[in-house]
Coordinates of all heavy atoms in Angstrom, one line a residue:
L163 N 0.8 -1.2 0.0 CA 0.0 0.0 0.0 C 0.9 1.2 0.0 O 2.0 1.3 0.6 CB -0.9 0.0 1.2 CG -1.9 -1.1 1.4 CD1 -2.8 -0.9 2.6 CD2 -2.8 -1.3 0.1
T164 N 0.4 2.3 -0.6 CA 1.2 3.5 -0.7 C 0.7 4.5 0.4 O -0.5 4.8 0.5 CB 1.0 4.2 -2.1 OG1 1.3 3.3 -3.1 CG2 1.8 5.5 -2.2
N165 N 1.7 4.9 1.2 CA 1.4 5.9 2.3 C 0.2 5.5 3.1 O -0.8 6.3 3.2 CB 1.2 7.3 1.7 CG 2.5 7.8 1.1 OD1 3.6 7.5 1.5 ND2 2.3 8.6 0.0
P166 N 0.1 4.3 3.8 CA -1.0 3.9 4.6 C -1.1 4.8 5.9 O 0.0 5.2 6.4 CB -0.7 2.5 4.9 CG 0.8 2.3 4.8 CD 1.2 3.3 3.8
S167 N -2.3 5.0 6.3 CA -2.5 5.7 7.6 C -3.0 4.6 8.6 O -3.9 3.8 8.3 CB -3.5 6.8 7.5 OG -3.1 7.8 6.6
V168 N -2.5 4.6 9.8 CA -2.9 3.7 10.8 C -3.4 4.4 12.1 O -2.7 5.3 12.6 CB -1.7 2.8 11.3 CG1 -2.1 1.7 12.3 CG2 -1.1 2.0 10.0
M169 N -4.6 4.1 12.4 CA -5.3 4.8 13.6 C -5.4 3.7 14.7 O -6.0 2.7 14.4 CB -6.6 5.4 13.2 CG -6.5 6.5 12.1 SD -8.1 7.2 11.6 CE -8.5 7.9 13.2
I170 N -5.0 4.0 15.9 CA -5.0 3.1 17.0 C -5.7 3.8 18.2 O -5.4 4.9 18.5 CB -3.6 2.6 17.4 CG1 -2.9 2.0 16.2 CG2 -3.7 1.6 18.5 CD1 -1.5 1.6 16.4
R171 N -6.5 3.0 18.9 CA -7.2 3.5 20.1 C -7.3 2.3 21.1 O -7.4 1.2 20.7 CB -8.6 4.0 19.8 CG -8.6 5.3 19.0 CD -9.9 6.0 19.3 NE -10.0 6.5 20.7 CZ -11.0 7.1 21.2 NH1 -12.1 7.5 20.4 NH2 -11.1 7.5 22.4
F172 N -7.2 2.7 22.4 CA -7.5 1.8 23.5 C -9.0 1.6 23.6 O -9.7 2.6 23.8 CB -6.9 2.2 24.8 CG -5.4 2.2 24.8 CD1 -4.6 3.3 24.6 CD2 -4.7 1.0 25.1 CE1 -3.3 3.3 24.6 CE2 -3.3 1.0 25.2 CZ -2.6 2.1 24.9
L173 N -9.5 0.4 23.6 CA -10.9 0.2 23.8 C -11.3 -0.1 25.3 O -12.4 -0.2 25.6 CB -11.4 -1.0 22.9 CG -11.3 -0.7 21.4 CD1 -11.8 -2.0 20.7 CD2 -12.1 0.5 21.0
N174 N -10.3 -0.4 26.1 CA -10.6 -0.7 27.5 C -9.6 0.0 28.5 O -9.1 -0.6 29.4 CB -10.4 -2.2 27.7 CG -9.0 -2.7 27.4 OD1 -8.2 -2.1 26.8 ND2 -8.7 -3.9 27.9
F175 N -9.5 1.3 28.2 CA -8.6 2.1 29.2 C -9.5 2.4 30.4 O -10.5 3.1 30.4 CB -8.3 3.4 28.5 CG -7.2 4.2 29.2 CD1 -5.9 4.2 28.6 CD2 -7.4 4.9 30.3 CE1 -4.8 4.9 29.2 CE2 -6.4 5.5 31.0 CZ -5.1 5.5 30.5
R176 N -9.1 1.8 31.5 CA -9.9 2.0 32.7 C -9.0 2.0 34.0 O -7.9 1.5 33.9 CB -10.9 0.8 32.8 CG -10.3 -0.6 32.9 CD -11.4 -1.6 33.0 NE -10.8 -3.0 33.1 CZ -10.6 -3.7 32.0 NH1 -10.9 -3.4 30.8 NH2 -10.0 -4.9 32.2
I177 N -9.5 2.6 35.0 CA -8.8 2.6 36.3 C -9.8 2.1 37.4 O -11.1 2.2 37.2 CB -8.3 4.0 36.7 CG1 -9.4 5.0 36.6 CG2 -7.2 4.3 35.7 CD1 -9.0 6.4 37.1
T178 N -9.3 1.8 38.6 CA -10.2 1.3 39.6 C -9.9 2.0 40.9 O -8.7 2.1 41.3 CB -10.0 -0.2 39.8 OG1 -10.3 -0.9 38.6 CG2 -10.9 -0.8 40.9
F179 N -10.9 2.5 41.6 CA -10.8 3.1 42.9 C -11.3 2.2 44.0 O -12.4 1.7 43.9 CB -11.6 4.5 42.9 CG -10.7 5.7 42.6 CD1 -10.7 6.1 41.3 CD2 -10.0 6.3 43.6 CE1 -10.0 7.2 41.0 CE2 -9.2 7.4 43.2 CZ -9.2 7.9 42.0
L180 N -10.5 2.1 45.1 CA -11.0 1.3 46.3 C -10.7 2.1 47.5 O -9.8 3.0 47.5 CB -10.2 0.0 46.3 CG -10.4 -1.0 45.1 CD1 -9.5 -2.2 45.3 CD2 -11.8 -1.5 45.0
G181 N -11.4 1.8 48.6 CA -11.1 2.4 49.9 C -12.0 3.6 50.2 O -13.2 3.6 49.8
E182 N -11.5 4.6 50.8 CA -12.2 5.7 51.3 C -12.4 6.8 50.2 O -11.8 7.9 50.2 CB -11.4 6.3 52.5 CG -12.2 7.2 53.4 CD -13.3 6.4 54.2 OE1 -13.3 5.2 54.2 OE2 -14.1 7.1 54.9
V183 N -13.3 6.4 49.3 CA -13.7 7.4 48.2 C -15.2 7.4 48.2 O -15.9 6.4 48.6 CB -13.2 7.0 46.9 CG1 -11.6 7.1 46.8 CG2 -13.5 5.6 46.5
N184 N -15.8 8.4 47.6 CA -17.3 8.5 47.6 C -17.9 7.6 46.7 O -19.0 7.1 46.9 CB -17.6 10.0 47.3 CG -17.4 10.9 48.4 OD1 -17.7 10.6 49.6 ND2 -17.0 12.1 48.1
R185 N -17.2 7.3 45.5 CA -17.8 6.3 44.6 C -16.7 5.3 44.2 O -16.1 5.5 43.1 CB -18.3 7.1 43.3 CG -19.6 7.9 43.6 CD -20.3 8.2 42.3 NE -19.5 9.0 41.4 CZ -19.5 10.4 41.4 NH1 -20.3 11.0 42.2 NH2 -18.7 11.0 40.6
P186 N -16.5 4.3 45.0 CA -15.5 3.3 44.6 C -16.0 2.5 43.4 O -17.2 2.3 43.2 CB -15.3 2.5 45.8 CG -16.6 2.6 46.6 CD -17.1 4.0 46.3
G187 N -15.0 1.9 42.7 CA -15.4 1.1 41.5 C -14.4 1.4 40.3 O -13.4 2.1 40.5
T188 N -14.8 0.8 39.2 CA -14.0 0.9 38.0 C -14.5 2.0 37.1 O -15.8 2.1 36.9 CB -14.0 -0.5 37.2 OG1 -13.4 -1.5 38.1 CG2 -13.1 -0.3 36.0
I189 N -13.6 2.8 36.5 CA -14.0 3.9 35.7 C -13.4 3.7 34.3 O -12.2 3.5 34.2 CB -13.6 5.3 36.3 CG1 -14.1 5.4 37.7 CG2 -14.0 6.4 35.4 CD1 -13.5 6.6 38.4
S190 N -14.2 3.8 33.3 CA -13.7 3.7 31.9 C -13.4 5.1 31.4 O -14.2 6.0 31.6 CB -14.8 3.1 31.0 OG -15.0 1.7 31.3

């Protein structure tokens, strides 16, 4: 292919909060 373009993204970028927080859980 001539001059291909490649686009990449994370589909599962997430973090998790535990402990003394107002809304614990996993955030996407």
Side-chain angles (χ1 to χ4, degrees):
L163 299 180
T164 303
N165 296 325
S167 297
V168 180
M169 300 180 63
I170 302 175
R171 291 203 62 180
F172 290 98
L173 296 179
N174 62 341
F175 195 105
R176 60 181 182 266
I177 58 174
T178 301
F179 266 95
L180 299 174
E182 198 70 8
V183 293
N184 285 322
R185 290 197 297 269
T188 299
I189 304 172
S190 295

